[in-house]
Amino acid sequence: MFRQFLLGQRPAELSMGTVHARSLDPLPMHGPELGVQADDIDAPEMDQEPKQEVLENKDVVVQQVHIDGLGRTKEDLLTYEISDVFQAKNLIDVMRKSHEARQKLLRLGIFRKVEVVIDTSRGEDALPNGLDVTFEVTELRRMTGSYNTMVGNNEGSMVLGLKLPNVLGRAEKLTFQFSYGTKETSYGLSFFKPQPGNFERNITLNVYKVTGQFPWSSLRETDRGISAELSFPVWKTSQTLKWEGVWRELGCLARTASFPIREESGHSLKSSLSHGMVIDTRNSSILPRKGGLLKIHQELAGYTGGDASFLKEDFEIQLNKTLFWDSVLSASLWGGLLLPIGDKPTSIADRFYLGGPTSIRGFSMYSMGPQSEGDYLGGEAYWAGGLHLYTPLPFRPGMGGFGDLFRTHFFLNAGNLCNLNYGEGPQAHLKKLAECIRWSYGLGIVLRLGNIARLELNYCIPMGVQSGDRICDGVQFGAGIRFL
């Protein structure tokens, strides 16, 4: 928020190019904030044209930048975020760079409010074309709590959180979160530390416990783990390096669980290194109208300890194109491969699963591919592709308002999931993935829930059904954040 005063009384306490921080009493968290607003100030009766001409038609110099309202925040952290303001050469440039600096300060997640005041310089050292820029900030409380609901892949959760923002004064964040869902319950503690001057480069440490139920496999899994993650940008990509150590406990969810599920029950330890890369040019992650996505992930387990040894690769590609009549054509492709290292077979907890309203529509949730007595065991290789046409609702009811959250949806999905004999060679692998392809088509309605999740109500016609697959012929409901 900008408040610009071309004439007025502002302090000129710093020399050019310096930053001054002044502590103020904290503002109330609730209720109106009292004080003089820009609209309440009467302009003094004096000739303003010469000063206006200087600022608007000639170069200006930013002499001082003030930050008012700091408490526990360290000044050196903010120096990186506002340094570009001193490079501005004219009034429009000052406003633009001040706005960019304001966005950077808000992105740190340590301020509740940031306002910008641009004023002419005053004092003995003031230049005729000098400007002072003041950032008036309000810090977040030392401890905040939250309660919300979260939508996962066809499941919902209630989430309780406790957060300590700016815990050490340099945008660090300590978070405790408890989640109770329809299929999963978890709690964990995380510490987030960004690099000063480069918020995208940060470190996250996690300690957690997750208990999940997987009825399609008659399996219950409890994970207790720790992880360290480094995120950083490279060119147009977002890169992530992660180490994770997990103590996994697998058990049967029902007495009727098949023998392969009972055989895998027990404890195991996984220690893995993983790398992720993301290029995302979409205008929205939920219902994009243009742009593309490339996501690649690799995981190597066994070389840093533990009794799980494998190499896992998977990728995701999505392209979106706006067509005529506000329609959007979208194409997606997923794929993955799990290679065991050594003689020990892969675990059911590490394999891929496919099927359901968020992937191959018209099939039940994760209910295709290898199975035993009705329990689905997952696969070591898979691929899935989708072609979608999103159009506005017929006759555009609620256009420009609530109606724009809905889209008509026509889709064609296909894919396959299987285990491979790695002694046969690549051609045999491709041939097996091309056999017995499951596919489906249909139409439905999509509802966008802000930029958080989306809901789908589709009429599905499954095709290419194989023995043992469970289908959902007809109406199918889906909710989640990641859809094929």
Side-chain angles (χ1 to χ4, degrees), residues 202-271:
N202 53 74
I203 296 175
T204 305
L205 305 176
N206 294 288
V207 180
Y208 61 88
K209 178 182 178 182
V210 182
T211 300
Q213 297 181 356
F214 310 100
W216 48 83
S217 301
S218 298
L219 182 70
R220 180 181 65 253
E221 180 179 354
T222 300
D223 292 348
R224 303 171 182 88
I226 59 175
S227 66
E229 182 175 322
L230 172 64
S231 300
F232 55 95
V234 175
W235 191 50
K236 296 182 179 180
T237 70
S238 298
Q239 307 280 339
T240 302
L241 295 175
K242 182 178 181 181
W243 172 82
E244 184 177 31
V246 187
W247 171 23
R248 303 186 295 190
E249 181 182 357
L250 304 180
C252 298
L253 190 60
R255 295 181 178 180
T256 57
S258 62
F259 180 76
I261 300 299
R262 296 176 183 274
E263 191 176 29
E264 295 223 30
S265 297
H267 298 267
S268 65
L269 183 63
K270 182 184 79 168
S271 176

Side-chain angles (χ1 to χ4, degrees), residues 15-320:
S15 60
M16 180 179 176
T18 61
V19 179
H20 173 65
R22 228 176 13 194
S23 297
L24 300 179
D25 293 334
L27 297 176
M29 294 299 293
H30 302 287
E33 297 180 5
L34 304 179
V36 180
Q37 301 299 321
D39 297 337
D40 300 330
I41 298 178
D42 296 328
E45 295 181 0
M46 59 179 66
D47 186 10
Q48 302 181 26
E49 293 183 0
K51 182 65 71 174
Q52 291 275 10
E53 182 179 358
V54 169
L55 294 177
E56 293 180 1
N57 299 333
K58 295 184 178 180
D59 291 343
V60 299
V61 175
V62 177
Q63 291 190 262
Q64 303 170 49
V65 174
H66 308 268
I67 303 179
D68 292 347
L70 292 185
R72 61 186 183 276
T73 305
K74 308 298 183 183
E75 298 175 18
D76 59 323
L77 171 70
L78 307 183
T79 303
Y80 297 100
E81 311 300 333
I82 65 174
S83 58
D84 289 344
V85 177
F86 288 107
Q87 309 302 320
K89 300 302 182 182
N90 54 62
L91 180 59
I92 300 301
D93 203 20
V94 171
M95 296 179 66
R96 180 177 60 84
K97 290 185 180 297
S98 297
H99 173 72
E100 293 173 354
R102 176 180 179 268
Q103 296 300 112
K104 292 179 180 179
L105 293 175
L106 289 172
R107 182 186 58 177
L108 294 175
I110 60 178
F111 298 122
R112 181 169 62 90
K113 184 174 65 175
V114 178
E115 292 187 356
V116 182
V117 177
I118 302 175
D119 194 9
T120 54
S121 295
R122 300 288 179 178
E124 297 179 357
D125 298 330
L127 300 175
N129 61 340
L131 290 180
D132 291 351
V133 179
T134 301
F135 294 90
E136 299 177 352
V137 302
T138 304
E139 293 182 339
L140 291 174
R141 292 178 174 177
R142 292 184 179 273
M143 181 181 297
T144 62
S146 63
Y147 165 78
N148 51 54
T149 56
M150 183 174 62
V151 178
N153 285 330
N154 227 38
E155 67 170 312
S157 302
M158 175 191 71
V159 181
L160 300 176
L162 188 65
K163 185 186 301 181
L164 279 69
N166 205 18
V167 62
L168 299 179
R170 291 186 173 88
E172 302 88 354
K173 181 170 57 179
L174 187 65
T175 305
F176 174 80
Q177 185 170 286
F178 171 79
S179 173
Y180 180 81
T182 54
K183 297 185 180 72
E184 185 176 281
T185 301
S186 66
Y187 59 85
L189 183 68
S190 67
F191 177 76
F192 172 82
K193 168 67 176 177
Q195 176 183 334
N198 194 341
F199 188 77
E200 291 82 6
R201 183 173 296 169
N202 53 74
I203 296 175
T204 305
L205 305 176
N206 294 288
V207 180
Y208 61 88
K209 178 182 178 182
V210 182
T211 300
Q213 297 181 356
F214 310 100
W216 48 83
S217 301
S218 298
L219 182 70
R220 180 181 65 253
E221 180 179 354
T222 300
D223 292 348
R224 303 171 182 88
I226 59 175
S227 66
E229 182 175 322
L230 172 64
S231 300
F232 55 95
V234 175
W235 191 50
K236 296 182 179 180
T237 70
S238 298
Q239 307 280 339
T240 302
L241 295 175
K242 182 178 181 181
W243 172 82
E244 184 177 31
V246 187
W247 171 23
R248 303 186 295 190
E249 181 182 357
L250 304 180
C252 298
L253 190 60
R255 295 181 178 180
T256 57
S258 62
F259 180 76
I261 300 299
R262 296 176 183 274
E263 191 176 29
E264 295 223 30
S265 297
H267 298 267
S268 65
L269 183 63
K270 182 184 79 168
S271 176
S272 66
L273 297 171
S274 62
H275 167 259
M277 184 194 75
V278 178
I279 302 177
D280 193 351
T281 62
R282 301 173 297 174
N283 66 316
S284 170
S285 60
I286 303 301
L287 267 179
R289 295 177 177 269
K290 60 182 180 179
L293 169 70
L294 172 61
K295 185 182 296 186
I296 300 175
H297 183 263
Q298 303 99 22
E299 182 180 10
L300 177 64
Y303 283 87
T304 55
D307 52 13
S309 298
F310 61 83
L311 175 63
K312 189 175 185 179
E313 303 267 353
D314 62 281
F315 69 90
E316 177 181 352
I317 300 174
Q318 184 184 103
L319 297 174
N320 304 277

